[in-house]
């Protein structure tokens, strides 16, 4: 799932907050991955199945887990 919308938990009416997700070229996203608002997945990265991406994923790296963390370089 690629999620670009969230809500402000500090707002009295939980106003909507939109943040784009950027996925660069040559990225492999495994099954059942969740990519949260504002995330950037750089060129050549691999996201392991079931991971939850929060923030920036480095180029040519492999990320896994919840939250997704770099587990090795992809070279």
């Amino acid at each position: 799932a690629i999620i670009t919308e969230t809500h402000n938990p500090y707002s009295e009416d939980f106003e909507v907050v939109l943040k784009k997700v950027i996925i660069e070229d040559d990225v492999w996203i495994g099954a059942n991955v969740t990519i949260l608002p504002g995330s950037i997945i750089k060129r050549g990265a691999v996201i392991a199945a079931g991971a939850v991406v929060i923030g920036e994923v480095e180029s040519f790296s492999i990320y896994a887990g919840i939250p997704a963390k770099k587990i090795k370089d992809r070279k």
Side-chain angles (χ1 to χ4, degrees):
I2 300 172
I3 302 167
T4 59
E5 183 177 310
T6 188
H7 296 275
N8 180 352
Y10 305 104
S11 168
E12 199 171 288
D13 60 355
F14 296 108
E15 69 188 341
V16 173
V17 177
L18 299 172
K19 294 182 181 178
K20 65 183 173 177
V21 168
I22 298 171
I23 301 173
E24 294 184 353
D25 293 336
D26 303 318
V27 168
W28 178 5
I29 298 173
N32 298 315
V33 168
T34 301
I35 302 170
L36 296 178
S39 295
I40 301 170
I41 302 175
K42 301 267 184 140
R43 183 173 188 264
V46 174
I47 311 299
V52 176
V53 176
I54 302 169
E56 187 172 313
V57 169
E58 296 176 21
S59 297
F60 297 100
S61 297
I62 300 172
Y63 279 67
I66 301 171
K69 301 231 186 268
K70 183 177 176 178
I71 58 171
K72 59 176 70 175
D73 288 321
R74 183 182 160 239
K75 295 189 178 185

